[in-house]
């Protein structure tokens, strides 16, 4: 081989190796949109997943729009959990009997009512996923929560949970 050809090949090899350093690394974690599903008669006024807020949910409500974003690993791994915190209104239709909106009576009734909201926190396992997608949070009776984070949508055959939309609270809940 000629010296020129060897130099050209050598320069191509060095250039190729140096360009490999320019490729950005694949992310380990990504932000995933959050959506919620209330399977109970309570309203979920607010909730969060690892500190990122989710939408308000009506009793037996779902969706509520997506909020952004919970940071989760791109690849699922055994033992993966998230922290879900939420505020629940156990009597969401109480305002039907309150004084007119904007009055002192309404504000007083609201203040008494809001004092009955309950606040909860749970460390929840995340169902196995192949590809990271929407974080779906299911609020169940007895302050239980289930979480998925894949591309499958609720009510599809391969979705990991098949909860009925309307679930009744039992007379007594199991103690944690």
């Amino acid at each position: 081989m000629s010296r020129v050809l060897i130099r050209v090949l050598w320069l191509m090899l060095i250039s190729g190796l140096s360009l490999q350093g320019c490729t950005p690394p694949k992310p380990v974690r990504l932000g995933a949109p959050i959506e919620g599903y209330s399977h109970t008669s309570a309203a979920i006024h607010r909730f969060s997943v690892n500190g990122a807020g989710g939408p308000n949910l009506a009793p037996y409500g779902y969706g509520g729009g997506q909020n952004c974003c919970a940071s989760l690993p791109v690849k699922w791994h055994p033992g993966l959990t998230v922290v879900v915190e939420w505020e629940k209104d156990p009597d969401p239709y109480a305002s039907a009997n309150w004084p007119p909106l904007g009055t002192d009576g309404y504000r007083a009734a609201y203040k008494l009512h809001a004092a009955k909201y309950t606040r909860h926190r749970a460390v929840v396992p995340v169902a196995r996923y192949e590809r990271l997608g929407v974080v779906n949070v299911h609020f169940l009776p007895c302050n239980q929560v289930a979480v998925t984070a894949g591309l499958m949508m609720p009510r599809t055959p391969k979705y990991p949970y098949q909860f009925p939309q309307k679930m009744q609270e039992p007379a007594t809940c199991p103690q944690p």
Side-chain angles (χ1 to χ4, degrees), residues 11-160:
L11 284 172
M12 287 174 54
L13 176 65
I14 291 172
S15 297
L17 290 175
S18 67
L19 286 177
Q20 284 182 337
C22 295
T23 305
K26 290 187 177 182
V28 176
R29 297 178 77 83
L30 286 174
I34 304 167
E35 195 160 312
Y37 298 83
S38 175
H39 297 272
T40 73
S41 62
I44 307 298
H45 278 291
R46 65 182 65 118
F47 74 95
S48 66
V49 177
N50 291 345
N56 295 340
L57 302 171
Y60 304 116
Y62 59 92
Q66 294 178 348
N67 286 20
C68 190
C69 290
S71 175
L72 286 172
V74 172
K75 287 189 62 125
W76 180 88
H77 59 80
L80 177 61
T81 60
V82 293
V83 175
V84 178
E85 296 180 283
W86 69 100
E87 181 179 80
K88 184 169 84 171
D89 180 354
D91 188 10
Y93 301 110
S95 63
N97 300 316
W98 292 357
L101 182 65
T103 64
D104 288 340
Y106 181 92
R107 285 187 283 279
Y110 176 79
K111 187 175 181 178
L112 288 172
H113 179 76
K116 297 175 188 167
Y117 291 173
T118 58
R119 287 155 192 83
H120 308 273
R121 181 182 190 276
V123 177
V124 183
V126 178
R128 181 182 183 87
Y129 55 86
E130 295 300 318
R131 291 183 57 201
L132 181 60
V134 175
V135 177
N136 290 310
V137 182
H138 296 269
F139 295 94
L140 307 168
C142 298
N143 297 316
Q144 298 296 306
V145 181
V147 176
T148 69
L151 295 177
M152 299 304 298
M153 294 307 295
R155 294 183 283 290
T156 59
K158 292 186 180 180
Y159 192 73

